[in-house]
Amino acid sequence: MSKAFLIAAPWSNSGKTTLTLGVSRWFSNQGYNVQTFKCGPDYIDTIHHGTAARKAAINLDTIMMPAQHMIDVFERYNAASDISIVEGVMGLFDGAVKDEGSSAAIAKMLDIPVILVVNASSMAYTIAPILHGLKTFDPQVKIAGVIFNFVKTESHYAFLKEACDTVGIPSLGYIPPNKEIAIPSRHLGLHIEDLFENVIEKAASHIATHISLPKLLEHTKTYPKIDPKIPVKTTGEKKYRIAVAKDEAFTFTYLENLKWLETIAEIICFSPIRDQKLPEADGIYLAGGYPELYVEALSANTTMRNQIKQAADRGVKILAECGGMMYLGTTIVNEEGTAYPMAGIFPFHTSMQDKKLSLGYRKVIFKDIEIWGHEFHYSKVSNDDNIPTVARVFSAREKEVATKIYQYQNVYASYIHLYWAALQQPADLCI
């Protein structure tokens, strides 16, 4: 039998990620095959989920993905695991528009129970009406239990447990605060992998000391253990070779996108930081990541920069997203104001000075293709006033936004991380 549940919270900063990482690692340490999922478009938490569970994590999203596609993806990976742990996004009912795309919406679609984690450091019996509201707001969302976080004493927990008893939601215990398991900043690149490993092990031990994790499984959904039979589309013989940038600077990829590419192409990974030769390929994929943290190394590899520029001039198809787009510009300016030359395919510059966050779901209309993605960046682009966009871009609320899709010959670049794994046919944007 396999188990599945979703970890959510009433609001952000309650400890969802720490709990997910710790619980995933603890079950993995016990010999379970653990599959982790992340609600929403986040591509950083999934990296650390994969570290914790020792198995690549998967995104689940009802905005970027058609509903049946999302369900199929979950069922395929869940069927091949012992325990499926889904981490929610923001507060339980927080979505792109009302509760669309929220943790609650995904829990309903997948018909899996919710384990709430609540930051109760400054709260006692008042949590009762909050829990009552979460329980009754949408009865189709099945709240199976509550874990209280940042609770120091048994006497404090007594008030919280009484609140659960009043509302009729099982209390699964409390976790005292522990500075040693604080999650490091996500914007540090993968050079913190060893640090995360240490934090994850400590989180697993700390959580298991205070919460009965075997008992937690009693409040999850049970599936019969079967072999996954969900078909994965294929085009038969692989007709293409796709070079995928993969190193410290380029890390933000949706696993299902790569799986989709593997059905039509041979994937060859390369490093724009270290490699001196660009693989021979029909297409190049430059995903997002942290190029701003590796500008010196990227700029110093003039051989790779020149080869990518030459490939673009020859008409090789290139798709570049966010960090990949920055790499294809003329320069990247770091926070100190130093400009580093990049591939020079586009005349624009990108800068990390005067940082301002831009984020949100994006619907891209390109020719007869509609494809969804997500925009999340602090950098800004300049010197692009004379570069037209080749597609229309809309927010989740159907408001047209100014984000551009740049084109040079067969090169397409933008700040948007696209999700194309649900497409039925190869698209010009993807190969």
Side-chain angles (χ1 to χ4, degrees):
M1 308 296 281
S2 63
K3 300 282 190 175
F5 60 98
L6 187 150
I7 295 174
W11 45 77
S12 295
N13 299 316
S14 294
K16 295 189 302 293
T17 300
T18 301
L19 184 65
T20 301
L21 297 179
V23 171
S24 299
R25 173 54 62 88
W26 189 86
F27 281 120
S28 178
N29 285 346
Q30 310 314 305
Y32 289 95
N33 181 344
V34 179
Q35 178 63 63
T36 51
F37 300 85
K38 174 65 181 181
C39 295
D42 190 287
Y43 26 74
I44 301 177
D45 281 349
T46 52
I47 293 172
H48 304 307
H49 283 189
T51 300
R54 302 183 173 99
K55 186 179 182 181
I58 308 299
N59 291 85
L60 300 172
D61 194 296
T62 63
I63 304 296
M64 297 195 303
M65 304 177 182
Q68 190 58 53
H69 170 81
M70 188 198 71
I71 293 169
D72 290 346
V73 167
F74 173 78
E75 290 181 347
R76 174 161 29 100
Y77 286 95
N78 177 63
S81 66
D82 299 319
I83 301 173
S84 290
I85 303 174
V86 184
E87 183 190 349
V89 56
M90 298 189 294
L92 178 58
F93 290 97
D94 293 330
V97 180
K98 294 186 177 180
D99 64 343
E100 293 178 29
S102 67
S103 306
I106 290 173
K108 282 198 302 183
M109 284 189 184
L110 300 179
D111 189 28
I112 57 175
V114 172
I115 303 295
L116 281 177
V117 55
V118 176
N119 181 345
S121 58
S122 302
M123 188 169 292
Y125 192 69
T126 297
I127 194 63
I130 295 174
L131 293 176
H132 175 75
L134 293 171
K135 178 183 178 181
T136 59
F137 181 76
D138 186 343
Q140 293 183 55
V141 179
K142 303 168 185 176
I143 299 178
V146 183
I147 294 171
F148 294 101
N149 205 5
F150 308 111
V151 175
K152 295 181 179 179
T153 64
E154 190 72 30
S155 59
H156 181 187
Y157 174 61
F159 289 99
L160 303 169
K161 189 175 185 305
E162 288 170 346
C164 285
D165 293 340
T166 299
V167 175
I169 298 177
S171 175
L172 304 180
Y174 72 95
I175 303 172
N178 183 343
K179 293 182 180 179
E180 292 188 334
I181 65 172
I183 299 296
S185 171
R186 266 60 152 201
H187 192 265
L188 289 175
L190 294 185
H191 59 271
I192 58 168
E193 186 173 344
D194 292 341
L195 177 60
F196 255 102
E197 176 66 26
N198 185 44
V199 170
I200 289 169
E201 278 292 346
K202 287 184 177 180
S205 175
H206 183 65
I207 292 167
T209 298
H210 298 278
I211 303 291
S212 173
L213 296 182
K215 184 177 178 181
L216 181 150
L217 287 185
E218 298 174 8
H219 298 269
T220 64
K221 182 173 181 178
T222 301
Y223 292 83
K225 192 66 177 175
I226 59 173
D227 292 328
K229 300 296 183 182
I230 299 173
V232 178
K233 58 180 176 291
T234 179
T235 60
E237 182 184 356
K238 296 182 179 181
K239 299 179 180 179
Y240 307 99
R241 285 168 55 89
I242 306 294
V244 176
K246 191 170 182 61
D247 58 22
E248 302 94 314
F250 301 99
T251 59
F252 298 162
T253 54
Y254 295 124
L255 182 61
E256 285 299 287
N257 276 352
L258 298 182
K259 294 290 186 183
W260 188 93
L261 284 180
E262 287 175 354
T263 66
I264 62 171
E266 177 188 359
I267 304 298
I268 309 103
C269 293
F270 74 102
S271 169
I273 290 179
R274 284 179 290 277
D275 290 346
Q276 295 297 303
K277 182 174 176 56
L278 180 67
E280 291 291 333
D282 302 292
I284 301 169
Y285 176 38
L286 293 158
Y290 297 115
E292 67 273 18
L293 298 181
Y294 303 95
V295 283
E296 290 187 48
L298 288 168
S299 186
N301 192 348
T302 55
T303 301
M304 179 59 69
R305 291 195 286 115
N306 290 337
Q307 289 183 27
I308 289 180
K309 175 65 164 64
Q310 291 162 10
D313 291 340
R314 292 196 308 270
V316 174
K317 292 186 176 181
I318 301 177
L319 175 63
E321 301 171 337
C322 202
M325 179 205 78
M326 295 168 69
Y327 179 68
L328 298 188
T330 301
T331 63
I332 295 178
V333 180
N334 66 10
E335 292 187 49
E336 290 71 37
T338 304
Y340 291 86
M342 291 292 138
I345 293 171
F346 294 101
F348 57 66
H349 310 272
T350 52
S351 174
M352 296 302 298
Q353 289 193 303
D354 303 320
K355 293 189 296 184
K356 181 180 180 181
L357 178 61
S358 298
L359 81 162
Y361 286 103
R362 301 291 182 252
K363 180 174 72 173
V364 179
I365 307 297
F366 175 77
K367 299 180 180 179
D368 59 347
I369 302 165
E370 176 181 306
I371 185 168
W372 281 85
H374 190 258
E375 182 175 359
F376 185 106
H377 58 92
Y378 287 93
S379 66
K380 61 182 180 181
V381 64
S382 62
N383 199 41
D384 71 335
D385 291 343
N386 294 325
I387 309 175
T389 184
V390 297
R392 300 183 70 188
V393 179
F394 299 85
S395 71
R397 295 181 179 273
E398 296 295 338
K399 180 180 179 181
E400 192 157 7
V401 297
T403 304
K404 289 184 176 182
I405 309 293
Y406 304 103
Q407 180 182 1
Y408 168 76
Q409 297 206 55
N410 288 324
V411 181
Y412 297 94
S414 83
Y415 267 125
I416 302 169
H417 295 85
L418 298 169
Y419 185 85
W420 64 75
L423 294 175
Q424 296 302 309
Q425 298 294 331
D428 288 340
L429 280 170
C430 299
I431 61 169

